[in-house]
Amino acid sequence: MNSDKNDLYKKSDKPKKNRQNLVENLCKSLNYSFKNQQLIKIALTHKSYSHTNNERLEFLGDGVLDFVIAAELYKRFPKLQEGILSTMRSHLVRQESLFEIAQNLKLNDLILLSSGEKHNGGDQRPSILADSVEAIFGAIYLDGGFESVQKVILQIYQEKLNNLNNLNNLNNLNNSQIQQNNRISQTDLKDSKTQLQEFLQAHKLGLPKYALLIESGTPQQPLFTISLQIKNVEIYQCTAISRRIAEQQIAEKLLQELNQKNADGSLNLKNLQKLKKKIRDGRNKSLKNLDVLLAERQNNNK
């Protein structure tokens, strides 16, 4: 790790002029112009690249983001209880949401990494890119104050917040519907892995397991193939750019099948019965294979 430099771009493997153009495009997307350009440079610098990096800005931005989102939810949903508001906030500020924002802002083209970290695919890693988004929020707060960063955050989150407005028609509840709707919304906002785990436990199918089968791709663009197993029976496989994303995607796929509804809104149990049969058949096959293996060993020992 090299010592601090006045210009953090000197070590970049991209031409300085091209990089400046990319930063300018980023600021246009944010609808914000930095008075102190050094702040945005630091926000886009990973700890592997320089002692002057975005860790402190990420810490600051994390707190700013939490407060802005909490305040906005409090204002938008005056009838909702603390529990559902907390679930909504967690849903909006979780790593997956920040990673999606980072991809939209094309931060993988901007984040400064050591050659080793970049070779290992750091510019595609959700945790690094999500932290960079928070670091940018921290930088804007220091550069322009709270109102500036609040404006940027609410602009970026506008669609996600509007989607929450439409979730179960939250703004049109009467008092008698509040408690019931809180339960429904908290379920809707939980991540797919949590929802699947709760669904399987409710139907006495045990806990899902996620196993890494194959790690492929290149260091710059790694791919992870995950197996979803229930009672040691493989149900699905999924490949994505990170284990976490693959696990969420594979859980979401099974959830969509299990949560299919009938015309009257009741749960369609057809896919649940198929899943139970697949688990039962898979376990029976494993037992038969075990019986064959034990029989072969007994014969070999005679």
Side-chain angles (χ1 to χ4, degrees):
M1 188 178 293
N2 293 351
S3 59
D4 299 349
K5 291 181 173 58
N6 291 329
D7 188 347
L8 291 172
Y9 292 170
K10 287 183 179 180
K11 292 163 36 180
S12 175
D13 57 354
K14 295 183 175 68
K16 183 177 178 181
K17 185 175 181 179
N18 180 53
R19 182 174 181 79
Q20 288 176 337
N21 290 337
L22 291 174
V23 173
E24 289 174 5
N25 290 336
L26 169 64
C27 292
K28 288 179 182 177
S29 298
L30 295 171
N31 198 23
Y32 183 79
S33 179
F34 278 88
K35 296 182 285 292
N36 182 352
Q37 290 293 316
Q38 191 71 0
L39 283 170
I40 185 60
K41 295 176 184 179
I42 296 173
L44 296 170
T45 302
H46 186 252
K47 63 182 179 181
S48 66
Y49 188 87
S50 172
H51 286 295
T52 305
N53 57 66
N54 63 11
E55 283 190 313
R56 285 172 53 84
L57 286 177
E58 182 267 327
F59 165 77
L60 178 61
D62 176 66
V64 171
L65 175 62
D66 270 359
F67 179 80
V68 170
I69 294 299
E72 183 66 16
L73 292 174
Y74 183 89
K75 181 175 68 175
R76 283 184 180 233
F77 305 108
K79 296 181 179 181
L80 294 185
Q81 299 168 4
E82 179 272 340
I84 180 61
L85 292 175
S86 293
T87 304
M88 283 179 166
R89 181 181 59 185
S90 297
H91 172 76
L92 290 171
V93 305
R94 62 182 180 165
Q95 185 181 105
E96 289 86 353
S97 297
L98 290 167
F99 178 55
E100 180 184 341
I101 291 169
Q103 289 178 307
N104 292 337
L105 294 174
K106 297 180 173 56
L107 294 190
N108 59 300
D109 291 332
L110 282 166
I111 187 71
L112 291 173
L113 304 162
S114 68
S115 57
E117 186 65 51
K118 186 170 183 179
H119 182 73
N120 289 327
D123 57 353
Q124 300 293 332
R125 191 166 298 137
S127 59
I128 290 178
L129 293 176
D131 288 349
S132 298
V133 174
E134 292 180 326
I136 290 172
F137 293 154
I140 294 173
Y141 172 77
L142 292 179
D143 188 72
F146 178 75
E147 289 186 1
S148 294
V149 71
Q150 181 184 44
K151 183 177 179 181
V152 171
I153 290 173
L154 293 182
Q155 169 196 303
I156 289 175
Y157 274 91
Q158 181 178 6
E159 183 177 353
K160 294 180 184 296
L161 287 165
N162 289 341
N163 287 339
L164 289 180
N165 279 98
N166 298 327
L167 182 63
N168 296 320
N169 205 17
L170 291 179
N171 279 328
N172 295 315
L173 298 175
N174 57 48
N175 290 333
S176 64
Q177 295 171 313
I178 291 293
Q179 187 174 2
Q180 176 66 19
N181 197 84
N182 274 327
R183 288 196 296 267
I184 294 172
S185 298
Q186 287 200 49
T187 298
D188 291 339
L189 288 170
K190 289 176 181 175
D191 65 80
S192 298
K193 289 177 65 177
T194 301
Q195 289 188 54
L196 178 62
Q197 177 176 314
E198 292 178 352
F199 185 101
L200 296 176
Q201 287 180 306
H203 292 87
K204 299 181 180 180
L205 289 175
L207 296 175
K209 294 182 180 179
Y210 303 87
L212 176 63
L213 298 181
I214 304 171
E215 186 172 344
S216 58
T218 64
Q220 292 77 20
Q221 293 183 317
L223 293 173
F224 301 85
T225 300
I226 299 294
S227 168
L228 169 59
Q229 302 172 0
I230 301 174
K231 293 187 175 180
N232 296 320
V233 176
E234 182 177 283
I235 308 302
Y236 284 127
Q237 292 184 15
C238 180
T239 301
I241 61 174
S242 79
R243 290 189 62 169
R244 185 170 183 171
I245 291 175
E247 290 173 0
Q248 290 289 349
Q249 288 180 349
I250 200 171
E252 183 177 357
K253 180 179 180 181
L254 181 55
L255 265 177
Q256 288 176 347
E257 293 184 1
L258 296 176
N259 281 326
Q260 287 185 4
K261 300 292 194 301
N262 296 313
D264 61 359
S266 61
L267 186 66
N268 186 332
L269 299 177
K270 182 178 179 181
N271 287 331
L272 177 60
Q273 297 303 326
K274 284 183 178 180
L275 176 63
K276 289 182 176 179
K277 183 178 185 303
K278 186 171 185 177
I279 294 171
R280 185 168 58 251
D281 291 347
R283 287 171 64 84
N284 289 338
K285 183 178 180 180
S286 296
L287 290 173
K288 288 179 181 178
N289 291 339
L290 180 60
D291 289 340
V292 171
L293 179 61
L294 290 174
E296 290 177 350
R297 288 185 177 179
Q298 288 177 351
N299 290 332
N300 291 335
N301 292 333
K302 290 181 179 178

